[in-house]
Amino acid sequence: MAFVYKADPARGAEWAKHFALAMPEMPFHVWPDVGNPLDVRFLAAWQPPEDLMGLFPNLEVLFSIGAGIDQFDLGAIPEHVPVVRMIEPGIRGAMSEYVTMAVLALHRDLPTYLDQQRREIWQEIRVIPASRRRVGILGLGELAQASLERLKAFGFPLSGWSRSRRSLDGVQCYAGHDELEAFLAVADILVCLLPLTNETTNFLNADLFSKLPSGASLVHVGRGPQLDHQALLDALDTGQLSGAFVDVTAPEPLPESHRFWSHPKIAITPHVASMTQPETAVSVVVENLRRCDAGERIVGIVDRQRGY
């Protein structure tokens, strides 16, 4: 029985060190070293190898090293092999930091001031109290909930939207298609933390932007294919939106000539809002392995019907 890690080899070396301390009885390999493929029961990967089951016929669990699993072809993974997304404190902490940073930057007009600095313009913008700046998050999973907790301290009126009904202390929750428009109407700063599914592809489009308050702004930390690039550019150029932080795009990286690079109202980061931390990730994976051994339910199993 063995465990294989297939992603960045430098981080794999860190995984190996922490894994040896936490579960020394389990042989651990970093791709392309897989030991005896017949012994491999567990695989942690960003992208699984081609012919997954042909290579590892005895695979029991596939772990994603990230919070999302849209990079997996679920149709190529047998139903009897659970797919587990990464739920670990490092991802939650980093995402809540990034969302807080971006929301505060948009709230205090940082993109505009940076553009004014480049053009040598000294012009103040009236400060709006946080109590009058409404922040709404699309998606109410663990990362969104961690972000909302961080934002509470600043006094923003907070709301959230999800496909199914949620109830969160201090957050006005909306659910389902019928309540989406009402949610958008009260989001001065919209944060996208939706998982990528067929339903959320191209979700951030012209129609959605038109339903936001005039002058609203966007923080996109979901997945690249959810954003219609031209719709965002049009909304910014007409003033329907006033600014955007974009951490995920399709494709990644953006082409050299893409307008996002030079647009004065867009701040781009290279898919760095959150990163799996090896030490805490290994702790979570080891706990799940012990659950497997005890016949208990694994934490983070993907619902294949929903796609997350």
Side-chain angles (χ1 to χ4, degrees):
M1 185 176 292
F3 191 107
V4 170
Y5 172 97
K6 181 183 180 295
D8 176 66
R11 293 190 191 181
E14 293 185 58
W15 274 61
K17 178 182 69 175
H18 296 301
F19 206 96
L21 293 172
M23 205 171 201
E25 69 275 18
M26 174 78 73
F28 185 95
H29 304 280
V30 178
W31 181 275
D33 172 23
V34 300
N36 183 347
L38 298 179
D39 291 338
V40 176
R41 299 294 194 276
F42 309 102
L43 172 67
W46 176 249
Q47 291 185 326
E50 295 183 10
D51 191 19
L52 175 65
M53 299 310 295
L55 181 58
F56 302 130
N58 297 315
L59 187 69
E60 294 179 7
V61 182
L62 173 60
F63 294 94
S64 171
I65 65 164
I69 53 89
D70 51 275
Q71 72 277 18
F72 289 0
D73 178 3
L74 294 179
I77 304 168
E79 290 285 345
H80 74 272
V81 176
V83 177
V84 183
R85 59 191 178 89
M86 181 60 67
I87 301 174
E88 61 98 0
I91 291 178
R92 289 196 298 268
M95 181 59 78
S96 63
E97 288 173 0
Y98 185 98
V99 169
T100 301
M101 172 198 72
V103 166
L104 288 174
L106 291 166
H107 169 55
R108 294 303 305 267
D109 303 296
L110 183 60
T112 300
Y113 284 127
L114 291 176
D115 180 52
Q116 289 184 179
Q117 178 183 343
R118 286 189 289 266
R119 296 188 291 142
E120 299 182 9
I121 295 174
W122 184 280
Q123 182 176 321
E124 69 178 33
I125 301 170
R126 183 171 179 176
V127 174
I128 295 176
S131 60
R132 289 169 44 200
R133 185 84 74 182
R134 302 164 297 179
V135 179
I137 297 188
L138 286 164
L140 287 175
E142 292 208 10
L143 300 184
Q145 292 181 40
S147 300
L148 286 163
E149 282 300 315
R150 285 279 180 100
L151 291 169
K152 284 179 181 179
F154 298 95
F156 296 110
L158 300 173
S159 61
W161 179 89
S162 55
R163 189 172 75 167
S164 55
R165 179 70 59 193
R166 296 291 186 97
S167 178
L168 300 174
D169 184 47
V171 180
Q172 178 66 49
C173 294
Y174 298 80
H177 178 76
D178 291 344
E179 297 181 12
L180 178 59
E181 188 168 346
F183 161 76
L184 295 171
V186 295
D188 298 314
I189 299 177
L190 179 69
V191 181
C192 180
L193 263 168
L194 292 168
L196 181 62
T197 65
N198 289 336
E199 290 74 24
T200 65
T201 298
N202 205 45
F203 198 85
L204 302 173
N205 55 35
D207 182 61
L208 181 142
F209 294 147
S210 72
K211 293 178 170 58
L212 292 169
S214 179
S217 52
L218 173 70
V219 178
H220 185 33
V221 283
R223 285 293 185 264
Q226 294 166 339
L227 175 62
D228 181 330
H229 289 194
Q230 190 58 51
L232 176 59
L233 290 167
D234 291 344
L236 290 168
D237 290 345
T238 62
Q240 174 60 18
L241 295 186
S242 61
F245 268 70
V246 178
D247 183 59
V248 289
T249 63
E252 292 182 351
L254 289 170
E256 290 184 8
S257 59
H258 200 288
R259 279 191 66 201
F260 279 16
W261 288 117
S262 58
H263 200 289
K265 296 180 181 179
I266 298 178
I268 298 174
T269 51
H271 203 149
V272 295
S274 67
M275 295 181 182
T276 303
Q277 300 301 315
E279 183 174 4
T280 47
V282 166
S283 296
V284 169
V285 168
V286 167
E287 173 59 27
N288 266 333
L289 293 177
R290 299 202 188 283
R291 286 174 173 269
C292 280
D293 189 54
E296 299 174 359
R297 181 172 175 80
I298 296 174
V299 175
I301 291 181
V302 171
D303 182 330
R304 292 181 183 235
Q305 297 301 314
R306 293 189 172 188
Y308 58 91

